[in-house]
Amino acid sequence: MRGLIWLVAARVLQGVGGALLMPIVRYVLVRAFGPRDFVAAMSAAGIPGLLGPLLGGVLSQYASWRLIFLVNVPVGLVRAPGDRDRGSGRDGRLRLRSSGAF
């Protein structure tokens, strides 16, 4: 019984963390792009959330579920060189590149 209680508590905590992601993403996008470009930025930010579970399901169905964890390695290696210029833009707003979402 003790294991079941811990499992349920961990899933509740995971659900709370997942529920907080969307407001945080919206805040970052409004700060980065401003209210005028928010809808376009939100549309681009939602694409990985739609494609991730789909590609994960395809990988686990037709290959091996272990490949899901290895997908992040080549993506990180491709993205790492482009992340050198972090920080705020000249106008004080945070700069985000759409390629970082993928």
Side-chain angles (χ1 to χ4, degrees):
M1 188 65 154
R2 181 176 175 209
L4 180 63
I5 292 172
W6 277 107
L7 177 65
V8 170
R11 292 293 291 172
V12 167
L13 185 64
Q14 184 181 21
V16 169
L20 290 174
L21 281 176
M22 188 55 72
I24 292 170
V25 167
R26 286 184 179 171
Y27 173 75
V28 168
L29 290 176
V30 166
R31 294 273 302 170
F33 294 100
R36 197 171 121 223
D37 297 327
F38 171 71
V39 174
M42 191 67 186
S43 299
I47 292 172
L50 294 172
L51 292 179
L54 177 69
L55 295 176
V58 169
L59 275 176
S60 62
Q61 180 71 30
Y62 297 109
S64 171
W65 62 269
R66 292 172 181 90
L67 288 177
I68 295 171
F69 300 102
L70 297 176
V71 167
N72 291 330
V73 174
V75 171
L77 290 174
V78 168
R79 283 297 307 143
D83 286 339
R84 290 187 187 160
D85 57 335
R86 294 182 187 174
S88 299
R90 285 188 228 156
D91 57 357
R93 293 188 346 190
L94 180 67
R95 279 184 299 168
L96 291 177
R97 294 177 306 275
S98 61
S99 62
F102 304 103

